[in-house]
Amino acid sequence: MDKQIAQALQRLFERHRIVFWNDTNRELRSDFDALKLAGVEKIELTNNEFGVKYRILREQPEDRFLLYREGVQPADIENWLLDVQLAHGEFRTGKTALLLSELELDPRFDGVVNAHAEFFQAVKRKDALKRLLKKDDTEGIISLKMLAICAGAEPRMDAVIENLLAELADGQEEKIKLIGRCGLDVFLWQQMNRYYGYSSSAPGVQDFVIELFKSCYSMGVEGEVRLTGDALVFLKRWKDSRQYEDTFEMLSDECADMLAIEQDLAKRDFRDLIDLDYFELIDRKIISDLAKSVAERTVTAGDVALWVRQRRQGHWYDEFKDLYQAIDHAAQFFHILGKVKLSMNSITDGAQQYSSFLFKLDQHYRKYIYHVRCAAQASLMGPVTEQVENYYSNNYLLPVNDSWQSFVDTTDKWDATPIPLQRDFFEYHVRPFLSKDNKVCVIVSDALRYEIGEEFLRLMNKEDRFEAKLEAALAMLPTYTQLGMAALLPNKELSLADNDSGVVLVDGQSSQGRPNRIKILSQAMDKKATAIKADELMAMTKDECRIFIRDYDVVYIYHNRIDVTGDKRESEERVFEAVEETLQDLIKLVKKLTSANANNLLVTADHGFIYQNRAIDESDFSGLDAEGEKINFRDRRFVLGKGLKEVSSLRRFTSAELGLTGDVEVQIPKSINRLRLKGSGSRYVHGGASLQEVVIPVIKINKKRQSDISMVEVEILRGASTIITSGQLAVAFYQTQATTDKVQLRSLRAGIYTQADELISDSHELTFDLSSENPRERELKVQFVLTQKADEVNGQEVILKLEEQQGETTHYKEYKSLRYTMRRSFTSDFDF
């Protein structure tokens, strides 16, 4: 006891020159007598008050005194030292008094200490409280801080509840039991009622979380609500917290079951749920109904795109993003197919139509199949997939190529001028760089068909300081690798070897293999040229790559992921996954080259391909096989030989008709038909004359010296009034320009703050990525829910802020703001 007394007195003397010690029960005389405090004079009060007063105030006004009184303190009117006692410190004994002294709390807080005695049994809790206490703390704030310590949280009610919910999700109850033992449970539920409107005859954490989900869901579907708007704000913050993400999801699933959310959702229109994300079942409901609506064509592609965009802000979007993307691509596919005409009037017209807009159908089909495979929800997407597959094959791929085939059948020269022929690639695209003494790198990605090239173009243009342009070229027939690769080299004559190798000769030399291609390149110019595989170049260090590029004027880089995947029966079903990987490969490859000072790049392909995800029907195979005097080479989409027999299902070409020399003939199945080839796949094919095989991309890429990327600007639209009179505020934000490749989206955080920068509403993460040219379609309306803290600034100005995250940090900088005046009446309490 003597040590505690000494420590308590020392703390008092740090703040006071004079300290009074009233030993009312006459039990601490020995402690007083034994007490020694450096620099402090002890005086016992025994009817000597007037003399003591004169001494301590007049004679020794700078010295420190401990004034001890044994027994009952005299009445105030008889207490000569009352004024001194009120102006200086008072030391009280007993457990409560010592605690108050140790915590440096005023004696008026003895009720808080006595009511929560169990809290102070642990030194760790007591020390934690002492660190949190401030001079202006009220009884309520001290109770909140004790509650927070028991919950292992920061001294805020939302933080306390988050930790208690995390404990509930873990199946534990140590924290809530400790709160009860410390007598803080009554305070907890009082605050829950005050903050969130929660009251119950049997309050509990589980009971609260059920009511929380129930009320917030009801707010969204206009049901019965028992909690306040602050509860909705809490739920939104909680679910968006990375720290408590798992807790939210676990309790959400449990509450969904308890509240029979699945049964309730069954009777609701998915359109009414687009803004809600409190339960995973909501996403499942929306996806299920949206998929059905797309399959039945009862929703527009524009609406689907808007709904999918809105769901991107939802908690479970990442889990379901492939399903949402698949549905969006399906809707876009049906929309475009419903608008286009699949007729044409020439080979040139057909190739131009394909490179202008028809390619989008292949692109949306590919993206749909890719995302469905990633989602692994074949049963759910079955009806949509059946429709997409059926329409792609029977309403697009076959009809458009049947129409195209009619011109392929009648042409006597393989040509689509003004679209350049693939064999002119070097003279048309590469030679101009060399004539100006500029280096050029050519990336040839095997089977990079036109629609993939167009997606790559958009991806590259989104990269800072890169400018990419796309042109179409007409691939040589037949569209197989050996001929396509040869045609991209400098050439005067191309011919098919008269043997079973399928090799193509360039000016009489074999073009098979890199050494031969390097030789052909070198002989055609007075410049230094070479060729390399993409993976070999990517394996180089930055310095190695720079030296490599420095030493050559022309570099051909060969990349092969799509074709090597699709050409194998065992892996052809993964060809669309290979496309996605190829797009990333090419971006990395371009960046690798430009970092090595290669600023002029060309990306192209040897040929395209056809891919149908479903099993190929018997009708998709040519009824008759190729026959002739000599069959040199046979594949699924072409035959090389001599004296080939004319048959109705195959189109025969002479080498001359295809712009080749020699007397080897080529036969190609008409439209999209395949030839049977033992041991080979049939869904991924190339070699024929379909639009998907013959229209190939040529992408020109240039690296700029300065940044050319900007972000869209956003304005806060000022309404008719800037006065807030209710518990909610509707605000419209306007994206001033449409997003493009170079004008990119902007992500902002929006909320309403006091002038002291305290958030008094829910916070919204907003993505402005609208690409519509119609200004009205670039408005985004947001509903803010105010918390009870808004009442504390009634009559004052508050600020609606748009803030932008600074890089990958947790810091935000103000982007735009608008001031409002808070003028809420008592009726605002009834918003919910």
Side-chain angles (χ1 to χ4, degrees):
M1 175 70 85
D2 57 343
K3 187 177 180 180
Q4 281 184 293
I5 290 173
Q7 289 175 342
L9 285 168
Q10 287 281 16
R11 285 190 291 272
L12 281 170
F13 277 111
E14 289 173 4
R15 293 178 288 147
H16 303 285
R17 184 175 71 87
I18 302 168
V19 174
F20 287 78
W21 180 355
N22 291 300
D23 185 8
T24 306
N25 297 324
R26 303 174 186 271
E27 56 189 6
L28 299 173
R29 159 67 70 175
S30 60
D31 293 291
F32 173 73
D33 291 340
L35 182 68
K36 291 182 180 179
L37 294 174
V40 176
E41 183 178 344
K42 300 189 298 181
I43 300 176
E44 183 177 359
L45 300 175
T46 52
N47 295 320
N48 57 349
E49 287 88 347
F50 186 77
V52 169
K53 187 172 187 178
Y54 184 81
R55 179 183 173 189
I56 63 178
L57 296 182
R58 293 296 181 91
E59 295 181 342
Q60 297 173 255
E62 303 296 328
D63 294 342
R64 297 190 296 171
F65 296 94
L66 173 62
L67 307 183
Y68 174 82
R69 185 194 303 278
E70 191 175 46
V72 179
Q73 181 176 302
D76 289 350
I77 198 170
E78 299 174 357
N79 188 352
W80 287 92
L81 292 170
L82 179 63
D83 55 339
V84 181
Q85 187 173 335
L86 293 174
H88 292 80
E90 183 177 357
F91 175 61
R92 296 189 180 189
T93 57
K95 200 167 187 179
T96 300
L98 288 173
L99 267 173
L100 288 169
S101 176
E102 184 179 350
L103 295 170
E104 300 179 14
L105 285 173
D106 192 274
R108 72 179 185 275
F109 293 116
D110 58 356
V112 177
V113 173
N114 287 328
H116 309 297
E118 175 70 21
F119 177 89
F120 299 98
Q121 293 300 313
V123 174
K124 192 174 181 180
R125 291 197 294 270
K126 183 174 63 177
D127 290 345
L129 178 62
K130 185 177 179 180
R131 288 192 295 270
L132 291 175
L133 289 174
K134 295 182 179 178
K135 289 183 179 180
D136 57 351
D137 280 351
T138 63
E139 186 173 330
I141 292 175
I142 293 172
S143 297
L144 175 59
K145 289 179 177 179
M146 289 193 290
L147 181 66
I149 291 167
C150 290
E154 294 181 23
R156 305 188 323 269
M157 272 307 297
D158 59 342
V160 169
I161 299 306
E162 285 170 345
N163 276 20
L164 293 178
L165 292 176
E167 181 181 59
L168 175 66
D170 288 340
Q172 305 294 320
E173 49 185 16
E174 284 82 359
K175 292 174 182 175
I176 192 65
K177 282 185 175 180
L178 176 60
I179 289 170
R181 290 199 307 274
C182 293
L184 289 162
D185 49 344
V186 173
F187 176 79
L188 169 65
W189 302 120
Q190 287 174 343
Q191 298 308 301
M192 294 293 283
N193 180 263
R194 176 190 166 200
Y195 278 88
Y196 308 120
Y198 171 72
S199 63
S200 172
S201 57
V205 179
Q206 185 174 35
D207 185 68
F208 167 73
V209 78
I210 293 172
E211 188 58 52
L212 175 68
F213 277 104
K214 181 180 179 181
S215 287
C216 291
Y217 177 69
S218 295
M219 289 178 197
V221 297
E222 299 182 354
E224 181 183 355
V225 178
R226 290 180 55 195
L227 303 185
T228 65
D230 285 55
L232 177 62
V233 174
F234 168 78
L235 181 63
K236 287 184 175 182
R237 291 181 187 173
W238 178 45
K239 73 178 176 63
D240 293 336
S241 166
R242 290 186 179 180
Q243 181 180 356
Y244 296 104
E245 182 178 15
D246 293 342
T247 296
F248 167 77
E249 292 177 0
M250 183 179 296
L251 295 178
S252 171
D253 288 346
E254 290 179 4
C255 290
D257 186 54
M258 295 176 188
L259 296 170
I261 295 298
E262 185 173 0
Q263 291 85 337
D264 184 80
L265 289 172
K267 61 188 180 185
R268 298 192 182 277
D269 190 313
F270 74 89
R271 296 168 183 81
D272 299 329
L273 305 170
I274 293 296
D275 293 326
L276 304 182
D277 68 339
Y278 311 134
F279 303 105
E280 182 184 345
L281 286 170
I282 294 175
D283 281 273
R284 293 185 181 276
K285 161 72 174 179
I286 291 172
I287 289 168
S288 177
D289 287 5
L290 196 52
K292 186 181 299 183
S293 299
V294 168
E296 295 172 351
R297 273 11 142 259
T298 56
V299 289
T300 68
D303 283 340
V304 172
L306 178 62
W307 292 327
V308 169
R309 181 185 175 279
Q310 288 177 273
R311 292 311 294 173
R312 286 213 311 261
Q313 309 300 322
H315 182 84
W316 276 277
Y317 178 78
D318 284 345
E319 183 176 342
F320 296 105
K321 64 182 178 182
D322 284 304
L323 289 171
Y324 280 118
Q325 290 297 313
I327 290 169
D328 191 14
H329 283 292
Q332 298 302 321
F333 171 80
F334 290 129
H335 172 69
I336 294 172
L337 186 59
K339 292 198 310 178
V340 300
K341 293 181 179 179
L342 303 180
S343 60
M344 56 202 71
N345 53 42
S346 67
I347 283 184
T348 295
D349 181 45
Q352 288 176 332
Q353 283 194 48
Y354 186 80
S355 60
S356 297
F357 55 86
L358 287 178
F359 74 87
K360 294 179 182 178
L361 289 163
D362 294 293
Q363 196 173 77
H364 285 302
Y365 173 76
R366 170 174 61 83
K367 302 294 279 188
Y368 173 81
I369 296 300
Y370 169 74
H371 286 295
V372 166
R373 283 179 58 82
C374 289
Q377 292 289 341
S379 298
L380 171 67
M381 298 301 292
V384 184
T385 299
E386 184 178 356
Q387 291 277 321
V388 170
E389 294 282 16
N390 180 48
Y391 274 73
Y392 179 72
S393 295
N394 300 323
N395 293 54
Y396 165 61
L397 189 61
L398 182 60
V400 76
N401 281 298
D402 280 351
S403 179
W404 164 259
Q405 186 66 41
S406 65
F407 299 100
V408 174
D409 284 345
T410 56
T411 187
D412 58 2
K413 181 182 179 183
W414 185 239
D415 180 72
T417 303
I419 293 176
L421 199 59
Q422 185 182 38
R423 67 172 301 166
D424 297 324
F425 170 81
F426 190 90
E427 295 301 323
Y428 194 84
H429 293 290
V430 179
R431 186 78 71 183
F433 286 110
L434 302 180
S435 63
K436 296 178 182 178
D437 291 327
N438 290 327
K439 291 177 179 288
V440 60
C441 292
V442 178
I443 301 172
V444 184
S445 185
D446 206 324
L448 188 81
R449 69 181 182 182
Y450 187 84
E451 58 92 1
I452 304 168
E454 192 275 340
E455 183 176 359
F456 174 64
L457 170 86
R458 287 185 282 114
L459 292 173
M460 280 310 310
N461 277 330
K462 288 179 180 179
E463 297 287 339
D464 194 20
R465 297 194 298 155
F466 283 95
E467 181 181 46
K469 296 180 180 179
L470 172 67
E471 296 180 21
L474 187 70
M476 299 294 289
L477 285 184
T479 51
Y480 73 114
T481 299
Q482 287 94 323
L483 180 55
M485 293 296 184
L488 294 171
L489 298 169
N491 64 86
K492 294 178 180 177
E493 290 184 351
L494 296 175
S495 59
L496 304 172
D498 189 7
N499 54 45
D500 62 359
S501 66
V503 167
V504 178
L505 306 180
V506 176
D507 299 335
Q509 298 184 59
S510 171
S511 61
Q512 188 77 359
R514 270 190 299 157
N516 285 326
R517 294 174 191 171
I518 293 172
K519 185 178 179 181
I520 292 168
L521 282 167
S522 299
Q523 290 176 345
M525 65 189 94
D526 59 354
K527 304 286 186 179
K528 295 186 68 175
T530 191
I532 187 173
K533 288 184 178 180
D535 54 0
E536 292 175 357
L537 187 134
M538 290 302 296
M540 291 181 179
T541 65
K542 187 174 182 179
D543 288 339
E544 289 171 342
C545 189
R546 186 180 290 113
I547 292 169
F548 176 76
I549 297 299
R550 182 196 65 192
D551 291 342
Y552 294 99
D553 299 296
V554 179
V555 179
Y556 271 55
I557 302 106
Y558 292 105
H559 174 272
N560 186 6
R561 188 184 292 275
I562 298 171
D563 205 53
V564 76
T565 303
D567 264 342
K568 298 184 182 72
R569 184 170 62 179
E570 298 77 16
S571 61
E572 67 173 350
E573 66 177 11
R574 288 198 64 257
V575 70
F576 286 166
E577 285 91 328
V579 171
E580 296 294 325
E581 294 164 2
T582 290
L583 291 169
Q584 296 308 310
D585 287 349
L586 294 179
I587 291 173
K588 293 175 184 176
L589 190 55
V590 167
K591 290 183 176 180
K592 179 93 171 184
L593 289 166
T594 54
S595 68
N597 300 322
N599 294 321
N600 302 306
L601 291 89
L602 297 168
V603 180
T604 190
D606 51 349
H607 56 76
F609 64 88
I610 298 173
Y611 181 80
Q612 292 164 273
N613 190 60
R614 63 170 175 79
I616 302 303
D617 294 335
E618 189 65 27
S619 60
D620 289 326
F621 288 94
S622 177
L624 297 173
D625 202 357
E627 297 180 10
E629 296 175 8
K630 181 182 178 184
I631 302 295
N632 286 345
F633 191 90
R634 184 190 301 270
D635 208 326
R636 292 164 293 179
R637 284 282 285 162
F638 70 99
V639 172
L640 306 180
K642 288 185 176 180
L644 299 179
K645 182 181 178 182
E646 291 275 9
V647 292
S648 60
S649 59
L650 304 177
R651 168 66 160 99
R652 187 176 68 86
F653 292 93
T654 64
S655 286
E657 288 174 327
L658 299 177
L660 306 172
T661 59
D663 54 1
V664 175
E665 298 172 351
V666 177
Q667 219 161 22
I668 295 172
K670 293 186 177 182
S671 190
I672 62 170
N673 290 333
R674 280 85 161 161
L675 293 170
R676 296 189 184 279
L677 191 67
K678 189 175 180 180
S680 181
S682 58
R683 289 186 282 175
Y684 172 91
V685 292
H686 61 87
S690 72
L691 285 164
Q692 289 74 16
E693 294 166 287
V694 301
V695 180
I696 58 171
V698 177
I699 302 130
K700 297 179 180 179
I701 301 172
N702 181 255
K703 179 76 177 286
K704 296 184 176 181
R705 294 183 179 275
Q706 295 182 334
S707 174
D708 62 351
I709 292 291
S710 63
M711 289 190 287
V712 296
E713 297 295 332
V714 178
E715 298 289 346
I716 307 172
L717 296 183
R718 185 180 291 273
S721 173
T722 56
I723 297 175
I724 301 174
T725 59
S726 69
Q728 296 188 46
L729 176 67
V731 179
F733 299 99
Y734 173 58
Q735 181 182 309
T736 60
Q737 68 261 71
T739 56
T740 64
D741 290 336
K742 294 300 183 184
V743 182
Q744 298 184 2
L745 64 83
R746 188 185 290 271
S747 296
L748 298 170
R749 182 176 70 179
I752 301 173
Y753 295 80
T754 66
Q755 294 186 60
D757 206 34
E758 184 176 11
L759 183 65
I760 56 171
S761 74
D762 54 344
S763 182
H764 295 262
E765 299 290 337
L766 306 175
T767 301
F768 294 92
D769 60 352
L770 301 167
S771 57
S772 174
E773 293 297 331
N774 184 345
R776 291 189 176 184
E777 294 178 356
R778 297 200 304 272
E779 285 188 20
L780 184 64
K781 294 181 179 179
V782 177
Q783 191 87 356
F784 293 92
V785 179
L786 296 172
T787 66
Q788 290 184 27
K789 289 183 180 179
D791 292 333
E792 299 172 10
V793 290
N794 208 14
Q796 300 178 28
E797 273 195 342
V798 295
I799 308 165
L800 169 63
K801 290 184 183 180
L802 280 175
E803 298 177 297
E804 191 164 29
Q805 188 173 7
Q806 300 301 290
E808 299 296 323
T809 72
T810 58
H811 299 281
Y812 283 78
K813 181 181 179 181
E814 183 176 313
Y815 171 73
K816 294 278 176 69
S817 65
L818 182 63
R819 291 179 178 268
Y820 289 83
T821 300
M822 188 68 66
R823 198 167 292 163
R824 299 177 66 195
S825 68
F826 72 91
T827 55
S828 64
D829 296 334
F830 295 87
D831 284 343
F832 292 97

